[in-house]
Amino acid sequence: MSHDVPRGIEHIGICVPDHDAAVRFFESAFGATVLQSHVTRDQPLSSRQLNQSHGMAARSEICAASLLRFGNAANIEIMQLTRYTRLDPADFSDMGLQHFSVYVDDLDACTRRFVRAGGLLLDGPFDLIGYEAGAGNRGRFGRMPWGSMVEFITLPAAATKTEVSMQTRWFPQLQE
């Protein structure tokens, strides 16, 4: 593999209105575990420290941040800021990052757990279409308590190959 291309996604950062509640939600809804809490309320990171390197708005600060282990996939970084420039979470029709997808073996069981933890499911589930179509291949979207979107996807039947597929699609492996 070439050293001038990424290996893959290491973590996804999510800004939330309540750090501790979001960590509890990820633990309850997804079985995530805290790897480290690297910003605490007694030692926040200010925009003066991060503006040039992170592009953070003036007068904001990260008042809490933790890195969570999220199954056999990218880590999740949960951050709470003191001031946000945009308060509405991204919607499916917004520009930029608007959801991430989690692979599940049992769509119904995982979405029930998500709801018990405080998530809100959108309509569905729905059968997957196109190259993802197949017997039992389904998906469902939900919103986390602060509004960020997640897609649950299961593909028990292999996704079909297309003429434009150059590589095999990656899926998280089952962890024992």
Side-chain angles (χ1 to χ4, degrees), residues 1-11 167 170:
M1 176 173 225
S2 175
H3 292 288
D4 62 351
V5 296
R7 289 185 187 185
I9 295 174
E10 187 276 326
H11 78 267
Q167 296 182 351
W170 177 85

Side-chain angles (χ1 to χ4, degrees), residues 96-119:
L97 183 64
Q98 35 88 331
H99 80 277
F100 64 92
S101 179
V102 295
Y103 189 92
V104 299
D105 293 309
D106 186 329
L107 182 71
D108 298 325
C110 288
T111 54
R112 279 192 302 272
R113 180 178 178 154
F114 176 78
V115 168
R116 280 194 310 270

Side-chain angles (χ1 to χ4, degrees), residues 7-77:
R7 289 185 187 185
I9 295 174
E10 187 276 326
H11 78 267
I12 298 167
I14 302 174
C15 288
V16 298
D18 184 327
H19 169 271
D20 298 344
V23 168
R24 286 191 304 273
F25 175 78
F26 270 90
E27 289 170 336
S28 180
F30 301 113
T33 56
V34 176
L35 292 174
Q36 62 181 346
S37 293
H38 48 281
V39 179
T40 58
R41 287 174 182 26
D42 59 332
Q43 290 189 315
L45 292 174
S46 72
S47 59
R48 288 185 312 279
Q49 295 167 284
L50 301 176
N51 187 355
Q52 293 304 313
S53 62
H54 288 59
M56 190 183 331
R59 299 184 322 274
S60 289
E61 63 183 20
I62 300 173
C63 59
S66 294
L67 191 65
L68 308 180
R69 185 74 198 109
F70 194 84
N72 182 25
N75 300 303
I76 302 286
E77 184 177 29

